[in-house]
Amino acid sequence: MTPIRNITILGGGTSGWMTAAVLSRAFTPDACTIRLIESEEIGIVGVGEATLPQVRDFNTWLGLDEAEFMRATNATFKLGIEFRGWGTSGSYHHPFGVHGQSAGGIPFHQLWLKARTFMDPGSIEDYAFPIRLARENRFDFPVEDPKSIRSAYAYAYHFDAVLYARYLRQWCEARGVQRIEGQVTGVDQNAETGFVERLTLASGESVGGELFIDCSGFRAVIAGQALNLGWEDWTPWLPCDRALAVPCERTDDLTPYTRATAREAGWTWRIPLQHRTGNGYVFSSRFTTEDRAREVLLGALDAPAQAEPRLLRFQAGRRTASWHKNVIALGLASGFLEPLESTSIYLSQIALTFLMRLMPDTRFDPALAREFNRLIDIEYERVRDFLILHYHANSASQGPLWDYVRSMPVPDSLKEKMALFRHRGHVQQYKDGLFSPASWIAVFMGQDVMPQAYDRQADGLSEEALTGYLKDLKRKIDSNLAVLPSHAEFVAAHCYNPNSGISHD
Ligand SMILES: Cc1cc2nc3c(=O)[nH]c(=O)nc-3n(C[C@H](O)[C@H](O)[C@H](O)COP(=O)(O)OP(=O)(O)OC[C@H]3O[C@@H](n4cnc5c(N)ncnc54)[C@H](O)[C@@H]3O)c2cc1C
């Protein structure tokens, strides 16, 4: 077994530098040479600003200092996503945590469903600590004591994706990663085996390698343009194919959550950073024009725009095989799912976890590629179904896009999940793939997909005991919340970037 000693990464966006970081953390420069080619002229997408809690595991594994990383990327904390205009209640949160606390092994939402049969328990969100925290614009780190209501959540970050790539680049170069500036214009394959042997740059320089990781974004220079690996188009389920992105000035209420507001032909995002607020409109060109989308986006800003809106084009879908021979496509080169649940950076991260687990030697056993592709398929399909749910179950928005998504046939896997939840509030739990039952429950209930009945195990608690339990829980949440700092105060104390241009005095 001969270990790989030369790895070439094409692309210096978030996924390219995350790949370089993982490889340089795992291999010393003596054991393996890691090269990364990127082109400043082409640039990076750079609008990936909202993340999932798993990014913390990634940073921790690398050994990054949280406060330093947050200062360097103008980051803020994220407790989840507020969805506006997707359900009849007007707004709901998908928190990084659970609603309430289970009692005697009975999931909280079942208790709440039972309570509704004999009293008015109020909104289920009133019992969710991370949602209450978010709504009041407060933040603190979760505590470890599992009995405490303050342990029932996780957090992620909003950060400037361009600065994150730059930060990782410095970290990687200090660990021996060799960065090559230039544009790849040719991909040379072995005529017999089809394995890629070298990449040729516009300058004439050529860069070899044993393993090639294609992080070249939507261009997919190796996997798409050279190898022509297939692409599965998911536009029939996820018709949005454009985004306009624009930063605006920061406002005073530094919200610890991303906001996703349903609009006439898609949805807008709002992501608060220390120095500005990131905004964008993800829309379908089938149902609106770019001019109208620009008008909607600019009309939705809560402060003056800092630039002209920038247009990005994409297609929802994924590569039918991300790993082929000695090439692995990662990041936007391997697939795209719109950022409604902030999943792209996570999908690069999980692909790197699989790659490290299945790291090939120079024989490139095809079984490794098959397993990698199987795992990636699961990840993409789980996220896909979750995103489709948001559109298909939108019970509030009006217009031709919404008529289309409400009536379109959905994948059988999603149909099954919805039927199960409608029966008695059950959610399938998987070993692999994103989104736990708590996430599905938040979106189902937020968008009016309600169970016809509660699970009969909730009868284990009498009406009287349940009434007392709910009252106590609310009291516990209120008293814990009252002592916590505002998100802006917390950022100021923990990770304020003095160069962000914002005064915290
Ligand atoms: C509208 C939108 C919003 C998004 N929001 C989020 C979000 O909130 N959260 C999230 O997790 N993700 C989000 N994403 C996704 C996120 O931006 C990407 O997952 C992330 O930036 C990774 O991109 P990448 O590194 O694969 O590609 P890119 O950032 O496009 O980088 C590609 C790299 O390849 C290089 N390159 C390309 N061709 C060549 C060539 N021929 N020669 C040399 N170099 C080349 C480029 O120079 C660049 O360095 C969003 C994406 C879009 C489109």
Side-chain angles (χ1 to χ4, degrees):
M1 190 187 289
T2 314
I4 285 176
R5 295 181 55 83
N6 270 298
I7 302 179
T8 297
I9 301 161
L10 174 58
T14 319
S15 54
W17 285 113
M18 283 173 77
T19 305
V22 166
L23 295 174
S24 61
R25 163 81 166 71
F27 306 123
T28 61
D30 292 347
C32 185
T33 302
I34 299 158
R35 296 188 186 87
L36 184 146
I37 308 170
E38 67 174 321
S39 159
E40 265 174 29
E41 203 184 319
I42 294 175
I44 71 172
V45 163
V47 284
E49 296 181 329
T51 61
L52 296 177
Q54 288 84 347
V55 76
R56 290 179 51 221
D57 301 334
F58 181 82
N59 287 355
T60 306
W61 185 77
L62 291 183
L64 305 185
D65 176 78
E66 182 179 72
E68 182 194 280
F69 137 78
M70 290 187 74
R71 270 193 294 276
T73 59
N74 279 318
T76 63
F77 294 97
K78 173 178 171 186
L79 291 163
I81 303 175
E82 182 200 12
F83 287 92
R84 282 196 181 174
W86 297 79
T88 51
S89 67
S91 153
Y92 76 93
H93 280 250
H94 169 196
F96 296 142
V98 292
H99 290 101
Q101 272 180 322
S102 60
I106 309 164
F108 180 79
H109 73 290
Q110 296 291 358
L111 297 174
W112 181 82
L113 287 169
K114 171 175 169 159
R116 290 203 328 159
T117 62
F118 66 88
M119 66 183 278
D120 175 12
S123 162
I124 192 169
E125 297 204 337
D126 295 343
Y127 302 90
F129 190 75
I131 296 180
R132 297 282 310 279
L133 202 55
R135 280 209 213 123
E136 294 197 12
N137 285 349
R138 296 178 193 259
F139 184 80
D140 200 352
F141 292 131
V143 299
E144 279 180 17
D145 175 7
K147 286 201 222 92
S148 166
I149 191 78
R150 288 178 54 192
S151 67
Y153 64 99
Y155 68 91
Y157 313 108
H158 303 118
F159 57 58
D160 183 323
V162 174
L163 297 179
Y164 186 55
R166 202 174 293 163
Y167 183 73
L168 288 179
R169 172 181 162 185
Q170 277 169 7
W171 191 91
C172 292
E173 287 185 316
R175 276 155 193 81
V177 173
Q178 299 172 23
R179 175 185 179 275
I180 300 167
E181 169 64 35
Q183 270 198 42
V184 167
T185 49
V187 178
D188 298 339
Q189 289 171 258
N190 183 294
E192 253 169 57
T193 63
F195 275 52
V196 172
E197 293 184 326
R198 70 189 68 79
L199 305 179
T200 311
L201 275 63
S203 61
E205 185 185 349
S206 93
V207 182
E210 289 160 300
L211 172 64
F212 290 84
I213 306 190
D214 186 354
C215 297
S216 61
F218 290 131
R219 291 169 188 248
V221 175
I222 313 177
Q225 292 179 27
L227 302 185
N228 206 15
L229 299 181
W231 177 266
E232 208 171 301
D233 178 8
W234 289 341
T235 312
W237 292 312
L238 295 168
C240 288
D241 58 355
R242 302 270 193 285
L244 280 166
V246 68
C248 74
E249 286 171 20
R250 199 198 111 173
T251 52
D252 286 341
D253 57 334
L254 193 63
T255 48
Y257 54 87
T258 304
R259 181 176 297 143
T261 306
R263 303 283 175 189
E264 56 195 37
W267 59 277
T268 52
W269 77 74
R270 178 185 180 279
I271 300 177
L273 305 181
Q274 287 191 37
H275 60 317
R276 61 169 164 80
T277 301
N279 306 277
Y281 185 13
V282 172
F283 61 95
S284 169
S285 62
R286 230 177 98 192
F287 295 101
T288 193
T289 62
E290 284 168 18
D291 284 346
R292 174 66 190 147
R294 191 176 175 282
E295 199 182 333
V296 170
L297 174 62
L298 293 176
L301 302 185
D302 49 24
Q306 292 178 319
E308 263 301 298
R310 178 177 153 219
L311 181 71
L312 297 118
R313 293 189 168 84
F314 48 77
Q315 185 182 71
R318 61 127 196 258
R319 221 155 273 296
T320 43
S322 294
W323 181 338
H324 177 77
K325 297 184 188 277
N326 64 337
V327 172
I328 296 175
L330 225 130
L332 301 176
S334 83
F336 184 76
L337 284 162
E338 60 181 74
L340 187 55
E341 284 283 353
S342 321
T343 44
S344 279
I345 292 173
Y346 163 81
L347 287 167
S348 294
Q349 185 187 335
I350 194 73
L352 288 166
T353 308
F354 299 150
L355 170 61
M356 294 316 289
R357 201 187 293 165
L358 298 167
M359 182 56 74
D361 55 49
T362 51
R363 291 173 304 177
F364 283 94
D365 185 340
L368 299 172
R370 279 197 298 274
E371 176 61 1
F372 181 88
N373 292 332
R374 183 187 74 83
L375 291 168
I376 294 291
D377 284 357
I378 292 174
E379 292 289 339
Y380 269 89
E381 281 170 24
R382 295 273 152 77
V383 175
R384 179 200 67 191
D385 282 5
F386 196 50
L387 297 188
I388 297 172
L389 170 69
H390 294 64
Y391 281 95
H392 188 61
N394 178 311
S395 50
S397 303
Q398 304 302 324
L401 166 81
W402 300 104
D403 294 341
Y404 168 76
V405 290
R406 271 195 283 270
S407 58
M408 69 187 173
V410 298
D412 289 344
S413 44
L414 176 58
K415 239 191 264 168
E416 189 93 353
K417 285 188 190 94
M418 293 180 75
L420 201 61
F421 192 76
R422 282 200 171 106
H423 178 59
R424 278 186 197 274
H426 292 295
V427 182
Q428 290 162 335
Q429 179 136 26
Y430 307 106
K431 189 168 76 51
D432 299 307
L434 247 190
F435 298 120
S436 65
S439 293
W440 283 87
I441 291 166
V443 177
F444 277 139
M445 290 199 170
Q447 296 192 197
D448 309 296
V449 179
M450 294 303 282
Q452 288 144 6
Y454 62 85
D455 185 322
R456 296 180 64 181
Q457 29 166 356
D459 285 334
L461 222 61
S462 69
E463 291 186 4
E464 197 188 347
L466 182 51
T467 308
Y469 182 77
L470 294 178
K471 223 166 149 185
D472 278 356
L473 191 54
K474 255 194 187 158
R475 200 178 303 131
K476 225 172 7 174
I477 291 176
D478 288 343
S479 61
N480 273 279
L481 263 181
V483 298
L484 298 183
S486 76
H487 180 218
E489 283 164 352
F490 195 89
V491 167
H494 180 73
C495 55
Y496 165 55
N497 175 4
N499 301 319
S500 63
I502 297 292
S503 162
H504 280 283
D505 297 339

